[in-house]
């Protein structure tokens, strides 16, 4: 399986998506992959265009697990986890999990803007990092003429092909980290 990870937010904290709770024996290794049924993904569900939700739906149809990460930046999150879960549901997100993170995950992926999208292939390799699409706009009218780099990468990985555009320059609001 492939994992799509998105770190994002425009007016709300970034939200990334992860599989259900995972466990591993002490000193063991946990590999996130399609083959293990625990791929990872990261995304911005408040962009308002419906593009993120459509991309999540496409990912789900391709057996990609979508993870959303809320990076609090070391400050108290204005939304409690239960409120965040309710908010994600209201946004019609199909994310499999919502992680509340203090910034470690965002730093690990070098997330600088929201949304910042990542795709991890079945072997656990990061194969895409960047924006959702080619238009820096939340206008629903721009979606039809944009290239959705995330769905393109998902389709290529699903077909066993290398990702043709593995990195794109992320756009959006900057991620606010505590350090």
């Amino acid at each position: 399986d492939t994992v799509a990870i998105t770190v994002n937010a425009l007016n709300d904290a970034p939200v990334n998506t992860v599989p259900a709770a995972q466990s591993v024996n002490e000193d063991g290794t946990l590999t996130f992959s399609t083959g293990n049924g625990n791929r990872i993904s990261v995304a911005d569900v408040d962009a308002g265009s419906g593009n993120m939700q459509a991309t999540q739906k496409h990912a789900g149809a391709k057996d990609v697990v979508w993870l959303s990460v809320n990076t609090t930046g070391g400050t108290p999150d204005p939304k409690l986890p239960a409120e965040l879960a309710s908010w994600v549901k209201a946004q019609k997100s199909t994310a499999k999990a919502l992680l509340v993170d203090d910034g470690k995950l965002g730093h690990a992926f070098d997330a600088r803007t929201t949304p910042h999208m990542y795709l991890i292939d079945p072997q656990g390799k990061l194969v895409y990092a960047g924006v959702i699409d080619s238009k820096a706009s939340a206008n629903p009218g721009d979606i039809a003429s944009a290239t959705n780099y995330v769905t393109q990468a998902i389709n290529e990985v699903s077909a066993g092909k290398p990702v043709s555009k593995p990195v794109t320059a992320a756009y959006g609001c900057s991620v606010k980290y505590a350090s």
Side-chain angles (χ1 to χ4, degrees), residues 2 7 17 21 50-51 73-74 92-93 141:
T2 304
V7 177
T17 312
N51 196 13
K92 298 182 181 161
S93 170

Side-chain angles (χ1 to χ4, degrees), residues 86-148:
S86 176
W87 175 79
V88 167
K89 186 175 182 178
Q91 297 300 312
K92 298 182 181 161
S93 170
T94 59
K96 296 298 179 197
L98 171 65
L99 299 176
V100 178
D101 176 58
D102 65 1
K104 289 178 185 162
L105 186 59
H107 279 301
F109 280 92
D110 198 26
R112 297 182 183 164
T113 63
T114 66
H116 208 142
M117 313 285 290
Y118 303 90
L119 184 66
I120 300 170
D121 74 5
Q123 291 72 42
K125 178 182 174 191
L126 179 64
V127 293
Y128 177 75
V131 294
I132 189 169
D133 64 33
S134 60
K135 301 246 177 155
S137 170
N139 180 349
D142 289 335
I143 295 171
S145 61
T147 298
N148 188 312

Side-chain angles (χ1 to χ4, degrees), residues 6 10 17 20 27 33 50 68 77 93 102 133 136 151 159:
T6 306
L10 291 177
T17 312
D27 298 323
S33 73
S68 292
D77 190 350
S93 170
D102 65 1
D133 64 33
T151 59

